[in-house]
Amino acid sequence: MAPPVAVSPLIKTARYSALIAGIIYGKRRYDELKPIAAEERRVEEEEKKVREEKERIAKAIAEASEETILK
């Protein structure tokens, strides 16, 4: 294998600058999206409760109608 080539200080600086800029961008973007995702989870949980209640009621009605048909 050939010996490693010395990397230019300009390239090293550019790479680390891009890395730091990416970390900062990611942190800002995460902070921006986190409350939106929390709200979506909260709404989904409420919808799930309503959906389960409707299913429970439908099941109770189906059982009640079955009992009346059998009698």
Side-chain angles (χ1 to χ4, degrees), residues 36-66:
I36 296 170
E39 178 66 18
E40 288 175 352
R41 284 191 300 273
R42 185 189 63 76
V43 168
E44 181 62 32
E45 184 64 30
E46 290 175 1
E47 290 173 354
K48 181 180 178 185
K49 288 178 184 177
V50 170
R51 186 174 56 246
E52 288 174 349
E53 182 66 20
K54 286 181 181 179
E55 289 173 359
R56 185 188 65 76
I57 292 170
K59 185 177 178 182
I61 291 172
E63 288 176 358
S65 67
E66 259 184 37

